[in-house]
Amino acid sequence: MSLIYCPVRDEPRSLSQSDDAPATPPRRHSTVRHRWDTLRQRVGELTIRLVDEPDVEAASWRLPAHPTSVGRARRLTRDRLRAWDMEKLSDTAELLVSELVTNVLCHTCCGDLVVRLSAVEGLLRCEVEDCDGALPEMARPCAGDENGRGLLLLDSLACCWGAERTRRGKIMWFELPAYALR
């Protein structure tokens, strides 16, 4: 089962997916390409030039489930976005990556996690994979609550986000289009 959140829809859409299906890099790349095509259809000519076969940039890091990994994930994200000439997305991407890594530390007992970034024609996809298969639920924190706003941040800042179960656990992801921050 997967959850996808898009501001265009205002409500989660559930997708059926086999829990036994491995998450392989080619599938993730096709997912990025599919999301790019969907985004391109929604916003039409406002997107970056139309292409038939966009190149996909990708990077991945395995980090220990330790508080120092939050800062390391932010630095790795910033450095990779600079290398891909996507610095405009850096502040938002770093904030959201650190939220997802922090959620792994606070809500799972995993020994490590994987941070993945991929980009296709100005659409950045960030994923954090952990070993816990429990999908997140949106909290409704009160004004005085100290926790529970991470998914609200995702919902507010990302063009779309979601979670999918894998054989090992789950992947939390979000996407940011570079054109929106020009």
Side-chain angles (χ1 to χ4, degrees):
M1 178 175 165
S2 300
L3 295 174
I4 297 177
Y5 294 87
C6 291
V8 174
R9 284 200 179 81
D10 289 339
E11 60 184 83
R13 178 178 57 160
S14 219
L15 300 176
S16 60
Q17 173 184 341
S18 168
D19 288 342
D20 298 327
T24 60
R27 189 187 147 281
R28 273 192 289 285
H29 290 204
S30 69
T31 301
V32 172
R33 282 191 180 103
H34 173 71
R35 294 293 303 139
W36 168 252
D37 289 339
T38 302
L39 181 66
R40 187 173 62 194
Q41 289 169 1
R42 285 187 186 150
V43 289
E45 294 301 317
L46 292 177
T47 60
I48 304 169
R49 65 186 165 90
L50 300 177
V51 288
D52 294 327
E53 291 294 325
D55 291 329
V56 175
E57 300 281 355
S60 177
W61 305 276
R62 182 171 297 278
L63 303 173
H66 188 271
T68 59
S69 293
V70 177
R72 186 163 180 219
R74 288 178 74 103
R75 283 188 301 280
L76 291 167
T77 299
R78 180 182 331 117
D79 293 345
R80 186 56 56 168
L81 292 180
R82 186 178 304 123
W84 291 345
D85 197 27
M86 298 179 83
E87 294 96 346
K88 294 176 198 167
L89 298 177
S90 192
D91 289 342
T92 304
E94 287 178 58
L95 173 64
L96 296 179
V97 164
S98 66
E99 281 295 325
L100 294 183
V101 171
T102 300
N103 283 350
V104 172
L105 300 177
C106 293
H107 302 291
T108 73
C109 297
C110 297
D112 62 358
L113 55 101
V114 177
V115 176
R116 288 185 199 91
L117 302 178
S118 57
V120 57
E121 294 294 318
L123 180 66
L124 176 69
R125 180 179 175 98
C126 301
E127 300 178 351
V128 175
E129 182 176 6
D130 63 55
C131 66
D132 184 351
L135 295 178
E137 293 183 25
M138 184 82 74
R140 302 286 178 212
C142 296
D145 291 349
E146 293 182 13
N147 300 317
R149 291 178 178 80
L151 295 182
L152 292 172
L153 273 174
L154 268 176
D155 204 42
S156 296
L157 298 176
C159 71
C160 49
W161 65 276
E164 359 180 311
R165 285 195 177 105
T166 64
R167 282 191 321 166
R168 278 196 63 217
K170 73 174 169 302
I171 294 175
M172 287 288 302
W173 60 268
F174 66 87
E175 293 175 351
L176 298 171
Y179 72 86
L181 298 174
R182 288 186 177 169

